[in-house]
Amino acid sequence: MNRAIIRPLSTLLMGSTYLLSEFLQTDWIAPLVSLFALTTIMTYMPYLKRIPFILISALLGSAFLLFIFGDGLWDMFLGLNTNVSVLAIFIFVPLLSIPIKQGRYLDYLETVFNHYIQTTGQLYSYVKIALMGVGSVMNLGTVPIMYQLTDTPSYQPYRMLRARALGRGFAMAFMWSPYFISVALILSYFNVSWIQIFPIGLSMAVVGITLGILFEKRHSQPIVVESEPSETTVTIQEAKRKLFELLIIILCLTAFIMTLEYLVDLSVLTIIPLVAIVLSAIWGLVYERPKDLIKSYGRFTQERLPAMGNELSLFIAAGAFGAAILSAGASEWIIDFINWFGISHILVLIPVLLIIVTSLSFVGVHPIITMTALSITLSSSPLFADEHLLLSFGLLANWMVSVIGSPFSGLNLLMSGLAQSNPVAVGPRSNLLFALTLWLICYATICLLYVVL
């Protein structure tokens, strides 16, 4: 089969078979999901860059050795579907980018930017808030789009400021958006619902936006606006109306998902991909004829899905590795480690996990790997069985620090390329102090919740 077809096809079959498994309870469905996960990772491996290839190969090799001396290769095969519930969100939610682009909402956003931004402080605030809003649905794909939207002659001198705004805006959505892999991973393992995490995460995101504005306010300066020939006749009133329309759609979508989670016996990990598939079709038909919408779906499978190769392969491999170390007794190892250091309190555990996650991220161990292993182990441990909500948000806060603080995070590697800088300058030098300050506020909130709850 043509390689241009087999990669997106195996990816779609993996995600859709998982969704089918939520409705069809048979013995053969789980192995089928694993089969498509294996096909996906094998078809992407030859096209990975060197470092992701080495990392994923090391994870799969380690999982192989652990299983061969433990439960056997059949259990490793089944372990390939460990993170597929999370990947279903990663695969299908980006379909919403089709109507967002066809509806020209990003063009309207650019009009609002050009009208209102007059200082660097305003540039930072608008970009960060916009990224968290639109990016909470469109995910990492929003980052390069937003960077290009603000890469006008007036804003080009402020490359690092725009990079900080985009990175921090993305990380704020990381703590609450149900469309992000971080939240999906936590929900898939811990005994918590998104409705429980949402108010805490969104509150901390608002705090993070305010904190970032205070950080940048000291250096705010006027921007000399260079007039450019207008390519559109969109008025500011029309642009604001269309952005308000987008906001209402996102809010209604989120409220609909919350209601469905309450009414039906399905996980939010299943509800979100299904809603994204249906809404992308209904919303897309508002702007395109059925024939053109099918072409847009075709471009999505040929352009967007192959570009997800690194993340898809890493998540599948991390899931297999997590299942392997769990079968080898990782739960006991981590519990022994916790007991050896005398960590018996949730408020002591969370800072220790911050050190572990952040330290490993700074030497190139992707947080996906660390978080998968910790989530599998801690969620199945009776030691903190009554503290899943606080532990879940603590892990999200820890993940947020590594996302914008580590020079090896996918976000900072992307931002360094866009801003024509290096990952150290874009990551730890620009954001580590901000991330740790916000983490302290998150930790104080967790302490307060521990006392209240």
Side-chain angles (χ1 to χ4, degrees), residues 31-355:
L32 190 61
V33 176
S34 293
L35 176 63
F36 290 131
L38 177 62
T39 306
T40 298
I41 198 169
M42 295 304 295
T43 54
Y44 277 109
M45 286 290 282
Y47 305 99
L48 298 178
K49 295 180 181 178
R50 191 167 70 92
I51 293 178
F53 180 86
I54 293 172
L55 177 58
I56 292 165
S57 299
L59 286 172
L60 291 175
S62 301
F64 175 82
L65 291 175
L66 288 170
F67 274 114
I68 205 74
F69 293 109
D71 295 336
L73 292 181
W74 178 251
D75 285 297
M76 178 179 176
F77 175 71
L78 294 178
L80 290 169
N81 69 28
T82 301
N83 277 341
V84 171
S85 60
V86 178
L87 285 174
I89 288 180
F90 190 65
I91 294 167
F92 294 114
V93 166
L95 287 171
L96 294 173
S97 66
I98 294 174
I100 287 177
K101 290 179 181 178
Q102 294 300 327
R104 296 181 54 215
Y105 290 102
L106 296 176
D107 293 338
Y108 299 123
L109 185 62
E110 182 180 21
T111 300
V112 171
F113 277 7
N114 293 336
H115 183 81
Y116 285 107
I117 295 176
Q118 298 178 348
T119 67
T120 56
Q122 290 173 337
L123 175 61
Y124 173 88
S125 302
Y126 275 77
V127 171
K128 184 176 181 180
I129 293 171
L131 194 285
M132 191 187 82
V134 180
S136 66
V137 175
M138 288 182 62
N139 217 296
L140 191 61
T142 319
V143 174
I145 294 173
M146 291 290 294
Y147 191 89
Q148 295 303 323
L149 281 180
T150 56
D151 200 34
T152 62
S154 300
Y155 304 147
Q156 279 175 352
Y158 309 104
R159 291 181 297 110
M160 293 305 293
L161 181 140
R162 288 185 286 141
R164 287 195 299 275
L166 291 171
R168 294 173 186 178
F170 181 83
M172 295 309 95
F174 221 79
M175 294 189 291
W176 66 270
S177 174
Y179 314 106
F180 270 47
I181 278 182
S182 53
V183 175
L185 183 71
I186 292 298
L187 294 179
S188 67
Y189 290 112
F190 289 94
N191 185 27
V192 295
S193 67
W194 177 66
I195 296 175
Q196 291 175 291
I197 289 179
F198 170 69
I200 307 172
L202 184 60
S203 298
M204 291 301 99
V206 173
V207 170
I209 289 174
T210 306
L211 182 67
I213 291 173
L214 292 176
F215 267 56
E216 299 295 330
K217 190 175 182 180
R218 298 171 298 171
H219 311 293
S220 183
Q221 56 182 318
I223 294 177
V224 178
V225 178
E226 300 183 24
S227 59
E228 302 176 57
S230 176
E231 297 180 359
T232 178
T233 58
V234 175
T235 65
I236 186 61
Q237 289 78 14
E238 182 183 359
K240 289 194 292 185
R241 181 180 62 80
K242 292 296 291 186
L243 289 181
F244 182 72
E245 174 186 296
L246 178 61
L247 175 63
I248 294 299
I249 292 172
I250 292 175
L251 290 175
C252 290
L253 173 62
T254 305
F256 181 64
I257 289 170
M258 292 171 64
T259 305
L260 274 183
E261 185 185 16
Y262 177 76
L263 294 177
V264 302
D265 188 24
L266 287 174
S267 166
V268 71
L269 302 178
T270 304
I271 294 171
I272 290 173
L274 291 174
V275 171
I277 294 168
V278 174
L279 181 62
S280 69
I282 296 173
W283 194 6
L285 288 172
V286 173
Y287 300 108
E288 294 185 292
R289 295 174 301 174
K291 182 179 179 180
D292 294 327
L293 182 60
I294 291 172
K295 290 181 179 178
S296 294
Y297 281 129
R299 287 192 295 270
F300 176 85
T301 61
Q302 294 301 306
E303 297 171 7
R304 184 67 181 267
L305 288 181
M308 298 177 178
N310 284 353
E311 292 80 5
L312 287 167
S313 303
L314 184 56
F315 253 83
I316 295 170
F321 178 72
I325 63 172
L326 186 64
S327 70
S331 296
E332 291 77 12
W333 303 341
I334 293 179
I335 298 304
D336 289 343
F337 170 84
I338 291 172
N339 290 333
W340 192 73
F341 280 96
I343 303 171
S344 59
H345 201 287
I346 186 70
L347 298 182
V348 179
L349 177 65
I350 290 174
V352 172
L353 296 180
L354 171 69
I355 296 171

Side-chain angles (χ1 to χ4, degrees), residues 328-383:
S331 296
E332 291 77 12
W333 303 341
I334 293 179
I335 298 304
D336 289 343
F337 170 84
I338 291 172
N339 290 333
W340 192 73
F341 280 96
I343 303 171
S344 59
H345 201 287
I346 186 70
L347 298 182
V348 179
L349 177 65
I350 290 174
V352 172
L353 296 180
L354 171 69
I355 296 171
I356 293 172
V357 173
T358 305
S359 299
L360 290 175
S361 73
F362 268 74
V363 295
V365 179
H366 201 288
I368 291 173
I369 302 167
T370 314
M371 284 296 177
T372 298
L374 289 175
S375 297
I376 290 174
T377 303
L378 294 174
S379 64
S380 60
S381 168
L383 193 60

